Amino acid sequence: MNFVDMIIKKREGGKLSKEEIAFFVKGVTDGSLPDYQISSFLMAAFLKGMDTEETACLTMEMAHSGGMFDLSSVEGFKVDKHSTGGVADTTTLVLAPLVASVGVPVVKMSGRGLGFSGGTIDKLESIPGFRVDVSEEEALGFAKAGNIVLMSQTENLTPADKKLYALRDVTGTVDSIPLIAASIMSKKIAAGADGIVLDVKCGSGAFMKDLESAEKLATTMVEMGRHVGRKVTAVISGMDQPLGMNIGNSLEVMEAIHVLKGEVGGDLLEVSLILGANMLLLAGRVKTEAEGKALLLEQIKNGEGLKKFTELLRQQGGDIGIIEDFSLLPLSPAVLSVKAEKNGYLTHMDTALIGRAAQETGAGRAYKEQPLDFGAGIVMKKRLGDAITAGEEMAVIHSQTEQKCQSAASYIQQAITIGEKPEPLPPLILRIIS
Ligand code: URA
């Protein structure tokens, strides 16, 4: 097969056959296709799209590009969760221990940050000692003993996605519905859970900016799951402002601990409860979402969620001292307060730009191998709809240098619109598809 012909076919909007897609994924996996041709194909697929059949085929070829994780030896209905990527989106650290604490096994392989969006693995790695590289055998042991494991993808799982994900990140081909759907669903299918809850982010800080594309992505992924006999629910949630107040790796760990201690609520708690409740619904642990939310909230009140989080840290070598003493977590030394330039109300946030500001502090990567500054990031002080006066603090930036703080601050100033009158708040949950 001539791969250049395939690139041209897609460039002209043609439909690829099963054999052609299999050839592409094989060439990505075994390294026989060069990066420049893969990148060119990705751009053609980005611009011309792929239909449901092509996407399903790409998903399955990617899922089978490596090993499949067999969770059958873990008792019970295993649930997984995945976010399409957002800013201050720390729900996994909150909901995984809560769900596991009511007896539903959570076996979750997570990823690193992509573009302006953060990644659970980077957050976990900011915890001193925490080991994300867990073998499949060890993961099964953790799941059987404590119902929870949060780990990075094992080496042999979906190698095609690893390669494509890294290339998409640096070739402007991330926000494509078929490519995102295949990337996420191939990993989730290979990771073996019986049920999957997808958090499809929608808004200025998401890859899907409007409800129509979010619905298309959500439906595509639910269909891919159904195709292979997995139960899938997609929750479309708003990302028109950072979900939590903290953006950055150790800062987000701190906020998740606050939530698990019942010290803060807000949108991060609400979305975590809704996603968690839908995981319980898929597992048949509860009959309604409301029952699930109440059960998980109770696990915060009675301390069982925090206890499970502590177990998670202990089993994977993380310093459990961080739970009571945040000074054990990294926090970057240079600090800058970003002040409002006029009186008014916060009417709009370009959340991707706020994510970009966080990247600028060192909390995210501009290129694949870039080491992270785990203690860098932003603490937001205001939310959409809040009143603000000139000179009042909107955000606090943490970074290694004053210069990086300044550069992040200019993005934040650009990202936040202060209007004269408050505007209606965007909805937090837009739709649930299952
Ligand atoms: N998350 C993924 O795992 N893959 C994507 O393509 C986008 C978000």
Side-chain angles (χ1 to χ4, degrees):
M1 211 171 284
N2 184 335
F3 191 57
V4 180
D5 290 342
M6 243 181 92
I7 298 174
I8 294 171
K9 186 171 179 187
K10 191 34 85 183
R11 188 195 72 190
E12 298 305 313
K15 178 172 170 148
L16 300 174
S17 68
K18 197 172 175 321
E19 291 70 33
E20 284 171 321
I21 293 174
F23 175 80
F24 167 63
V25 175
K26 184 173 174 298
V28 169
T29 311
D30 67 17
S32 58
L33 290 177
D35 285 3
Y36 53 83
Q37 284 190 322
I38 300 172
S39 303
S40 171
F41 175 80
L42 287 170
M43 186 55 85
F46 177 93
L47 294 172
K48 296 295 173 168
M50 291 177 117
D51 70 11
T52 309
E53 225 175 304
E54 288 175 296
T55 311
C57 190
L58 180 63
T59 305
M60 293 319 290
E61 289 297 333
M62 284 167 69
H64 287 97
S65 63
M68 305 286 272
F69 194 13
D70 180 3
L71 294 178
S72 58
S73 63
V74 180
E75 259 180 53
F77 187 96
K78 279 75 64 182
V79 285
D80 196 349
K81 169 259 166 191
H82 196 92
S83 159
T84 56
V87 179
D89 175 15
T90 322
T91 58
T92 294
L93 297 189
V94 176
L95 65 79
L98 291 177
V99 170
S101 74
V102 298
V104 175
V106 180
V107 182
K108 173 153 170 51
M109 292 193 190
S110 293
R112 298 192 180 281
L114 182 68
F116 58 79
S117 74
T120 301
I121 288 303
D122 297 329
K123 295 170 203 181
L124 288 170
E125 281 194 334
S126 77
I127 301 170
F130 194 94
R131 205 163 46 82
V132 293
D133 290 322
V134 169
S135 70
E136 289 185 5
E137 202 185 344
E138 225 181 341
L140 290 174
F142 291 152
K144 286 175 196 168
N147 277 339
I148 187 167
V149 52
L150 296 184
M151 59 196 281
S152 60
Q153 239 177 281
T154 50
E155 263 313 300
N156 70 344
L157 215 89
T158 54
D161 179 62
K162 273 191 204 109
K163 176 83 189 238
L164 293 175
Y165 195 87
L167 280 177
R168 286 168 55 219
D169 197 20
V170 291
T171 55
T173 52
V174 171
D175 40 351
S176 141
I177 290 175
L179 296 181
I180 296 180
S183 163
I184 292 180
M185 290 312 289
S186 63
K187 284 186 289 234
K188 297 290 112 180
I189 290 165
D194 306 302
I196 304 153
V197 172
L198 300 164
D199 183 10
V200 178
K201 299 288 181 194
C202 173
S204 66
F207 297 122
M208 298 299 110
K209 305 287 181 208
D210 56 77
L211 183 57
E212 198 188 327
S213 10
E215 280 179 333
K216 181 134 194 279
L217 176 60
T219 323
T220 307
M221 292 196 289
V222 171
E223 264 171 32
M224 302 294 117
R226 192 170 21 223
H227 198 69
V228 291
R230 307 285 169 90
K231 283 192 186 177
V232 184
T233 298
V235 175
I236 303 180
S237 68
M239 188 35 79
D240 280 312
Q241 60 182 327
L243 184 61
M245 300 304 277
N246 290 7
I247 311 161
N249 299 293
S250 67
L251 286 168
E252 292 187 43
V253 171
M254 291 177 206
E255 188 168 11
I257 294 172
H258 277 307
V259 175
L260 284 169
K261 285 182 174 173
E263 292 167 352
V264 295
D267 291 352
L268 173 59
L269 172 64
E270 183 60 17
V271 175
S272 303
L273 291 177
I274 289 170
L275 296 171
N278 277 285
M279 290 163 85
L280 299 184
L281 266 174
L282 284 186
R285 177 71 177 75
V286 293
K287 296 218 159 38
T288 62
E289 186 185 281
E291 189 193 337
K293 281 176 75 177
L295 181 60
L296 297 176
L297 205 52
E298 187 52 35
Q299 298 303 94
I300 292 182
K301 291 196 187 123
N302 64 20
E304 289 299 315
L306 189 66
K307 201 164 132 202
K308 189 53 79 180
F309 183 73
T310 313
E311 269 177 47
L312 167 75
L313 295 194
R314 194 177 279 122
Q315 86 183 5
Q316 285 172 240
D319 183 351
I320 62 165
I322 62 151
I323 290 169
E324 294 309 328
D325 182 0
F326 286 169
S327 74
L328 296 171
L329 282 165
L331 191 60
S332 305
V335 181
L336 181 71
S337 173
V338 187
K339 307 262 170 61
E341 288 169 346
K342 59 179 185 179
N343 297 340
Y345 295 87
L346 263 71
T347 54
H348 178 259
M349 290 197 206
D350 181 338
T351 311
L353 206 55
I354 296 178
R356 178 76 187 79
Q359 257 181 324
E360 204 65 20
T361 65
R365 295 180 187 82
Y367 56 94
K368 191 169 160 264
E369 294 79 14
Q370 188 176 7
L372 291 184
D373 176 4
F374 287 128
I378 302 161
V379 178
M380 299 299 293
K381 296 291 181 183
K382 293 281 177 188
R383 295 196 73 73
L384 286 179
D386 285 353
I388 195 153
T389 49
E392 202 181 336
E393 197 167 65
M394 299 196 292
V396 176
I397 299 174
H398 296 263
S399 190
Q400 285 300 325
T401 64
E402 188 70 23
Q403 198 188 356
K404 283 188 185 172
C405 287
Q406 291 289 359
S407 142
S410 68
Y411 280 111
I412 293 177
Q413 289 289 8
Q414 271 181 63
I416 294 178
T417 308
I418 299 176
E420 284 176 11
K421 287 195 228 108
E423 281 182 11
L425 293 180
L428 190 57
I429 302 297
L430 294 103
R431 242 195 104 181
I432 298 183
I433 300 170
S434 59

